[in-house]
Amino acid sequence: MSVIEVTDLRKSYGGRSVVDGVSFTVDEGEIFGILGPNGAGKTTTVECVEGLRVPDAGRVRVTGLDPVAEHDKVAHVLGAQLQEGRLQEKLTVREALQLYASFHPHPADWRPLAERLGLADRLDARFGKLSGGQKQRLFIALALVGNPRIVVLDELTTGLDPRARRDTWQLIEEVRDSGVTVLLVTHFMEEAQRLCDRIAVIDKGRVAALDTPAGLIRRSAGATVITFTPSAPLDEGELSALPALASVRHRDGRVTLAGSDETVNAVITLLARHRITAHQLRVSDATLDDAFLDLTETTS
């Protein structure tokens, strides 16, 4: 069952189109990702879902509710961690949780929530003294304290170090496993590939593609990546003529080809024919990063 429905959403600022006909649905119980570069229209889209911005055109429904006309009702089913979330520096973790719980008629017990999110020993710490990872855990707790069916997490891991980012990914998976639908906005490809059941790739205000991470990668022109350092130069014309080849890149003496299994077989044959050794040869599946670059270049 779809808990979020966005149909032909449009929003402009000063005559400049920021969201231009975006449509997607989010199913109950999934982690749905909105992926794209900075300025692509991701945050404006989710702010319309949250009821924080009024669309110029199109239709948005959250569990069947209009997030603008029925904002109070939507606030009880949707929790949000905003991209630029801040709290008063002297507010303690305990005070923040108590305050946000008071906004809801049937809040979650914030004590086990704080325990679950690793904040139990920081309840008396002031917001200004928390680390980046602790602040993000607190924002997740504040988004969940109202017992929402859906939680929106916007650029949650921006600015975190790799360890804190991975800890936060585990928390997001635990949130979904508890029965909460997650709408995750990110520009980190690895994050989207690890967490999301489905992804809408937004570029220049439009949906460039919508599929599972594996489906997006399969749709990429270069689903297989071959990287090696040749023992002698290769003829560019012969490289360009390889079957199913999507791209050729040269960097620091290494050659990177994007293509298919057919491309792999052909380049090995080419190397053998010219008696060229491929040092540090690696063959791997394309990543979501590769697919994203291919998809956005195709639609630009």
Side-chain angles (χ1 to χ4, degrees), residues 39-166:
K42 307 185 303 295
T43 293
T44 298
T45 296
V46 296
E47 286 178 345
C48 290
V49 170
E50 294 162 341
L52 300 178
R53 295 192 185 276
V54 180
D56 296 336
R59 183 177 185 270
V60 180
R61 292 294 182 269
V62 177
T63 63
L65 302 169
D66 184 326
V68 175
E70 301 172 280
H71 185 74
D72 289 346
K73 292 181 180 179
V74 169
H76 296 319
V77 297
L78 185 146
Q81 167 268 329
L82 302 178
Q83 186 180 27
E84 299 293 337
R86 295 290 301 174
L87 294 174
Q88 209 278 335
E89 294 287 302
K90 294 185 178 180
L91 196 69
T92 67
V93 171
R94 185 193 311 274
E95 291 167 341
L97 289 166
Q98 290 174 333
L99 176 64
Y100 274 63
S102 72
F103 297 155
H104 301 278
H106 305 290
D109 186 341
W110 58 265
R111 295 167 186 83
L113 185 60
E115 180 76 34
R116 179 172 143 213
L117 291 171
L119 295 169
D121 62 346
R122 303 294 288 162
L123 291 177
D124 295 319
R126 300 187 186 278
F127 178 78
K129 298 297 184 180
L130 299 179
S131 69
Q134 290 167 346
K135 287 177 180 178
Q136 297 298 51
R137 291 191 192 98
L138 176 57
F139 286 132
I140 294 175
L142 297 179
L144 294 173
V145 77
N147 265 328
R149 290 176 59 186
I150 308 158
V151 64
V152 178
L153 305 175
D154 190 356
E155 303 287 7
L156 183 65
T157 61
T158 297
L160 297 185
D161 62 60
R163 182 178 297 277
R165 180 173 295 132
R166 280 167 172 73

Side-chain angles (χ1 to χ4, degrees), residues 226-280:
I226 310 105
T227 305
F228 60 93
T229 302
S231 59
L234 284 162
D235 181 83
E236 285 300 314
E238 289 187 288
L239 282 178
S240 300
L242 290 171
L245 183 71
S247 66
V248 180
R249 296 196 303 272
H250 297 270
R251 183 176 181 181
D252 298 330
R254 287 187 67 76
V255 178
T256 299
L257 309 174
S260 69
D261 290 343
E262 187 181 4
T263 314
V264 176
N265 294 330
V267 75
I268 290 173
T269 301
L270 174 65
L271 291 167
R273 185 166 66 246
H274 292 290
R275 297 183 179 181
I276 294 174
T277 302
H279 297 291
Q280 297 178 313

Side-chain angles (χ1 to χ4, degrees), residues 208-231:
L210 198 164
D211 207 333
T212 64
L216 290 173
I217 292 169
R218 283 195 300 269
R219 290 166 63 175
S220 172
T224 302
V225 178
I226 310 105
T227 305
F228 60 93
T229 302
S231 59

Side-chain angles (χ1 to χ4, degrees), residues 18 22 50 61 69 76 175 178 182-183 222 230 233 239 267:
V18 176
V22 166
E50 294 162 341
R61 292 294 182 269
H76 296 319
V175 168
S178 72
V182 178
L183 178 57
L239 282 178
V267 75

